[in-house]
Amino acid sequence: MWCTWALGRVVLAVVFLVALAAGDAAPPKVHRNHGKFTAGPWKQAHATFYGGRDGSGTLDGACGYKDTSKEGYGVQTVAVSTPLFGAGAGCGACYEVKCVDSPDGCKAGAAPLVVTATNLCPPNPGQSNDNGGWCNPPREHFDLSMPAFLQIAQEKAGIVPISYRRVPCVKVGGIRYTITGNPYFNLVMVSNVGGAGDVAGLSVKGNKRVKWTPLKRNWGQEWQTSEVLTGESLTFRVMTGDHRKATSWHVLPPDWQFGVTYQATKNFN
């Protein structure tokens, strides 16, 4: 009798643990090291333009890039509204954009355009969302560089309806890293990121004293740490928004210098 009762309690405990593992336990975080970023669904929005015909006035901004024409982004860029900017998390994302439903505004036969998010289009609360406040939340809006806008639309239109979707970022060469600041406060700019294009997490490791250390987003794609990194060969690990990771082993030599850009041999697909 006692054995039967004890055995019953053991069976119930096993059943409870199996159920917990199957349904109640939190699923593990997924981090993918391989594969490719795939294009997302088409969505509707609007596009305007800013800057000069040569892209002047659009080469830097809220993502922290200093000169997009020299950093691999050219002038095929866009300032996105707050929901797409995501407090800097959207920097580096690539979008395919096409002008639609505006016979007078769209350029006939224009091919879709791929642009990279390199800036924030700030809200204008003094204007209504559909009359000047194009970038007011919750609108998803694209303020294209003028050279990009003129590839798909007429300048006189000013604003046009578009279809857009996230697409993989295709980059030449490896991920790039630039450290500014001083030995006791480092800002690391990550650029030329392929695949998802954005950066959701960054860690650094030295070849001597510095163990794997996570950095915090300071603003845009500038990441900060107070860890002393000088005098060591540095390895960086980047995680993009789709949870894929890439490790740039010893991308900075032991005698690396502030303000110098170092390029890895590998990138995301």
Side-chain angles (χ1 to χ4, degrees), residues 66-101:
K66 304 300 185 292
D67 187 338
T68 59
S69 66
K70 295 179 180 178
E71 293 168 338
Y73 303 103
V75 293
Q76 302 285 93
T77 60
V78 60
V80 292
S81 59
T82 300
L84 296 171
F85 186 73
C91 293
C94 294
Y95 297 92
E96 186 176 12
V97 177
K98 57 184 179 182
C99 185
V100 296
D101 302 329

Side-chain angles (χ1 to χ4, degrees), residues 67-258:
D67 187 338
T68 59
S69 66
K70 295 179 180 178
E71 293 168 338
Y73 303 103
V75 293
Q76 302 285 93
T77 60
V78 60
V80 292
S81 59
T82 300
L84 296 171
F85 186 73
C91 293
C94 294
Y95 297 92
E96 186 176 12
V97 177
K98 57 184 179 182
C99 185
V100 296
D101 302 329
S102 179
D104 294 331
C106 298
K107 282 190 174 177
L113 175 71
V114 175
V115 291
T116 305
T118 59
N119 203 356
L120 168 68
C121 182
N124 184 2
Q127 301 288 333
S128 65
N129 290 14
D130 57 357
N131 186 21
W134 311 120
C135 291
N136 291 347
R139 289 177 64 105
E140 294 186 345
H141 186 82
F142 289 72
D143 201 16
L144 297 164
S145 70
M146 193 171 181
F149 184 87
L150 294 179
Q151 292 178 50
I152 61 171
Q154 306 286 346
E155 180 179 356
K156 64 180 182 181
I159 180 170
V160 292
I162 61 168
S163 290
Y164 79 94
R165 62 175 179 169
R166 279 285 299 273
V167 294
C169 296
V170 179
K171 301 299 179 184
V172 177
I175 301 171
R176 299 172 186 169
Y177 305 88
T178 309
I179 303 182
T180 55
N182 59 65
Y184 307 102
F185 181 78
N186 305 278
L187 280 178
V188 182
M189 161 60 67
V190 185
S191 59
N192 202 52
V193 180
D198 55 4
V199 178
L202 181 67
S203 299
V204 64
K205 179 183 181 301
N207 67 323
K208 296 178 181 176
R209 178 186 54 82
V210 180
K211 308 303 180 184
W212 277 116
T213 302
L215 283 77
K216 296 181 180 179
R217 190 188 304 276
N218 182 283
W219 64 288
Q221 286 301 18
E222 295 271 15
W223 295 77
Q224 73 177 61
T225 179
S226 297
E227 188 76 27
V228 176
L229 303 178
T230 52
E232 298 199 36
S233 172
L234 300 179
T235 294
F236 286 97
R237 179 166 292 158
V238 175
M239 185 177 74
T240 48
D242 60 346
H243 299 290
R244 290 187 170 88
K245 293 180 178 180
T247 303
S248 303
W249 292 101
H250 307 294
V251 62
L252 269 65
D255 60 347
W256 64 267
Q257 301 294 312
F258 288 101

Side-chain angles (χ1 to χ4, degrees), residues 26-49:
K29 242 180 181 178
V30 177
H31 297 301
R32 306 176 182 87
N33 294 311
H34 304 288
K36 295 183 178 181
F37 181 80
T38 55
W42 286 100
K43 299 180 180 180
Q44 304 304 308
H46 285 80
T48 49
F49 64 87

